[in-house]
Amino acid sequence: MCLDNIREQFEIYKNNPDLVYLDTCATSLKPKCVLDKMEEYYTKYGVNIHRGVYNLSYKASSEYDEAREKVANFINSNFNEVIFKRNASEALNYVALTYGEQNLKEGDVVLTTELEHHSSVLPWMKLCERKKAILRYVKLNDEGRITVEEFKKALDNKVKVVAITLVSNVMGYVTPIKEIIKLSHEAGAIVSVDAAQAVAHFKIDVKDLDCDFLSFSAHKMMGPTGVGVLFGKDKHLKKMMPLEYGGDMNDEVDKTSVTIKEIPYCFEAGTPAIAEVLGLGEAIDFINSIGFDKIEAHCKALHEYALKLLEDVKGITIYNKTSECSIISFNVDGVHPHDASTLFDENNVCLRAGHHCAQLITKWLKVNGTLRASFYIYNTKEDVEKFVKVVKENVKFFSQFN
Ligand SMILES: Cc1ncc(COP(=O)(O)O)c(C=O)c1O
């Protein structure tokens, strides 16, 4: 699919013709095919799955299973290694609350970084508190990146879990994850990867990475809100006990005992987000029909164009000029990002202001937050120009008070 007329696929632009949407890192826009798929489910076969013994239920169940197959192909895992959760946060918590809870002991170390989103680090922080385990941080380099060199220094045989982001949602840096996973395994640790930002930008192959767990949300890759994915290696999943018990996750139940279903079903108690899972399957088809090469070429071109236009703007600080994933984190010097964001809003430019649920890195940067512009396939050169125009207006406006 060609990207020239891609906006036609995103109806939000019809209802908001002046919209400059630069907040894909928070959530992506959704193409019509994803919305149509969810409507198809509700209007044509909107019944429960894996329960009914009638045709409509078989249809809904087979669509649902097909979507799981699409996710498995998308990340190159096995079908039974894909667990549907509500979002990346729930998936990341699930790893800590199941694998972590069942394996971590007093004195063990969980290794993480200051680049993490709160959802990647807080579940482990709280688990370490309960278990009297130690949460250790890899030192970032001068640019704020995770490097293999510093990772090696922080790794020893006390480390049992590595909880690490694949792409930072503030800096847009890509972690050298393959090497880190290899080193972690050699030291006897498992690796839980937060792929929430990565999944919309490049192909993830869990077999090639050899990661133990990997989490992401559908809504950041043009799918709906309400569904996320937890990948786990089947050798771990088969040993883990579910966190939730209830409908459709069990086989035999009597008054004092229960036998649970095989993976992944034992980890999905209750009626799932059926329409949303189908929407995720459609988002995967949509991404595949474009191809990551085109997605990345487009985002990179916009990112470079924005950096070029910002080059001569005095009075701003950009914190991540070398970001690989088309994110610009910056501040208007001397201005709180929330104050600066007002002028963007007045001009229909949607970007994020604040700590982005990643306070460790904003503290590392020694700022109370940043403005963050993130580009994706539906953005254009005109969006970039409008964004830069408002950056300049911001600088001019606030220079009166400095
Ligand atoms: C890197 C990263 N991890 C995890 C999350 C959590 O995603 P969700 O809010 O969909 O659970 C986000 C969301 O911004 C993120 O950017």
Side-chain angles (χ1 to χ4, degrees), residues 158-225:
K158 283 208 155 70
V159 178
K160 299 299 171 216
V161 173
V162 175
I164 196 159
T165 190
L166 181 46
V167 170
S168 153
N169 66 319
V170 177
M171 306 300 260
Y173 296 152
V174 180
T175 304
I177 199 74
K178 208 169 156 181
E179 183 69 7
I180 280 175
I181 291 170
K182 187 165 168 283
L183 290 165
S184 304
H185 287 166
E186 283 164 8
I190 63 106
V191 184
S192 170
V193 178
D194 174 359
Q197 291 297 336
V199 72
H201 284 277
F202 50 83
K203 173 80 188 159
I204 291 174
D205 180 331
V206 292
K207 289 209 170 82
D208 180 52
L209 292 182
D210 199 24
C211 54
D212 299 275
F213 297 98
L214 182 127
S215 304
F216 59 93
S217 289
H219 73 90
K220 292 192 198 280
M221 50 177 287
M222 298 187 281
T225 54

Side-chain angles (χ1 to χ4, degrees), residues 243-259:
L243 201 57
E244 297 127 357
Y245 286 79
D248 213 34
M249 54 74 71
N250 50 272
D251 282 327
E252 273 305 307
V253 176
D254 64 28
K255 279 184 176 168
T256 53
S257 68
V258 51
T259 56

Side-chain angles (χ1 to χ4, degrees), residues 292-311:
F292 277 119
D293 289 356
K294 266 197 210 157
I295 292 175
E296 269 325 87
H298 182 82
C299 295
K300 190 162 179 274
L302 292 180
H303 185 218
E304 281 173 1
Y305 185 50
L307 287 178
K308 187 166 164 290
L309 295 185
L310 289 171
E311 222 167 47

Side-chain angles (χ1 to χ4, degrees), residues 13-26:
Y13 285 111
K14 284 192 194 140
N15 297 314
N16 303 273
D18 297 328
L19 174 67
V20 177
Y21 188 74
L22 302 181
D23 200 14
T24 292
C25 276

Side-chain angles (χ1 to χ4, degrees), residues 56-74:
L56 276 189
S57 184
Y58 293 138
K59 168 70 179 162
S61 304
S62 82
E63 289 276 345
Y64 190 85
D65 294 342
E66 203 181 299
R68 197 191 304 270
E69 192 71 56
K70 283 182 192 177
V71 175
N73 291 336
F74 186 61

